[in-house]
Amino acid sequence: MSRASLEKRPEEVQAMFDDVAPRYDVVNDILSLGQTRRWRKIVVEAVGAAPGQRVLDLAAGTGTSSEPYADAGVHVVACDFSQGMLQVGKSRRPDIDFVAGDATNLPFADGSFDAATISFGLRNVNEPKKALAEMLRVVKPGGKLVVAEFSHPTFAPWRTVYSEYLMRALPAIATKVASNPTAYVYLAESIRAWPNQDGLAAWIDEAGWEDCRYRNLTGGIVAVHRAVKPLAAG
């Protein structure tokens, strides 16, 4: 895997996630210092889906982020481009609909979902702006978008500490607990290369979503962006 940038090779990223799939959720809990589950709970609350509604969970990986929707009676489709991730998810939760798909060319009809969400996956997409437009296409007018992604801490001293953790401590920890430590070096670099909160909000607006707002979590380490598809949109 080459050094991270916003110009990614999909086949390299896919192979990386296939490789780390078996222990991905466990390692994430360790590296996030136990914050992952809290962040995902906030995302589910932001989506606010009701039983019977359809939610697209993009870059769903092993389906950990999809489980709360299924458990609440929401029809969730867990979509990811990593076959390795999908296989792990299907073996654990056969009741969830796992679908292989490219975020920039989704295999779903226009207006198929009441909401679309992507957690910690948009920065791994080769063309994130195109993915935002594709999510707009497959969501019904008036439907929601919720994006959770690593971002930029808002407090300067904390930002420095966080940067040091990303580039020094995280790879060192990954060497001890992950099957592919190089993958986590890539992930750390991809976080540093990602736009800040306002930059991502601008991308969401450009894709055609409206009323974009965001909430910072853990001092801005993570930001949850929410937006709505215009009622007049096709």
Side-chain angles (χ1 to χ4, degrees):
M1 171 61 67
S2 57
R3 292 181 66 85
S5 71
L6 298 184
E7 300 296 328
K8 306 171 188 70
R9 295 182 181 179
E11 66 277 7
E12 289 186 356
V13 179
Q14 181 177 354
M16 180 193 73
F17 280 106
D18 285 347
D19 186 50
V20 301
R23 300 191 65 195
Y24 184 71
D25 294 317
V26 173
V27 175
N28 274 355
D29 276 344
I30 294 171
L31 296 180
S32 70
L33 306 179
Q35 291 295 300
T36 302
R37 298 183 187 190
R38 171 178 172 265
W39 295 336
R40 292 194 186 282
K41 182 179 179 182
I42 290 171
V43 170
V44 172
E45 292 171 352
V47 172
Q53 288 190 318
R54 285 174 54 85
V55 171
L56 171 62
D57 186 15
L58 191 55
T62 62
T64 302
S65 57
S66 306
E67 291 177 0
Y69 303 105
D71 293 343
V74 175
H75 181 188
V76 61
V77 175
C79 183
D80 200 279
F81 71 161
S82 167
Q83 292 288 350
M85 290 284 191
L86 295 173
Q87 289 171 7
V88 172
K90 287 177 182 178
S91 66
R92 190 180 70 239
R93 288 297 299 258
D95 58 312
I96 293 177
D97 188 11
F98 286 87
V99 176
D102 178 355
T104 63
N105 186 23
L106 293 172
F108 308 110
D110 296 359
S112 300
F113 298 94
D114 297 286
T117 182
I118 181 169
S119 296
F120 311 109
L122 188 60
R123 75 182 188 286
N124 296 317
V125 176
N126 186 41
E127 298 178 84
K129 293 181 181 179
K130 190 172 181 181
L132 290 168
E134 272 290 273
M135 285 188 277
L136 181 78
R137 179 183 66 78
V138 302
V139 168
K140 300 174 183 177
K144 295 180 182 178
L145 169 73
V146 178
V147 178
E149 191 52 86
F150 290 106
S151 197
H152 294 238
T154 54
F155 183 51
W158 176 228
R159 188 159 57 243
T160 300
V161 171
Y162 177 59
S163 180
E164 289 294 307
Y165 171 73
L166 278 179
M167 302 314 299
R168 295 189 183 185
L170 187 149
I173 295 171
T175 299
K176 298 182 181 297
V177 301
S179 59
N180 183 356
T182 303
Y184 289 89
V185 174
Y186 158 80
L187 291 174
E189 292 178 345
S190 72
I191 292 169
R192 289 186 59 172
W194 191 247
N196 65 15
Q197 292 86 330
D198 290 331
L200 179 54
W203 285 7
I204 292 171
D205 289 340
E206 290 170 16
W209 298 91
E210 65 180 14
D211 194 26
C212 182
R213 304 177 184 183
Y214 61 81
R215 173 185 174 184
N216 286 315
L217 306 179
T218 318
I221 284 179
V222 168
V224 176
H225 286 67
R226 294 178 291 176
V228 178
K229 180 170 180 175
L231 290 173

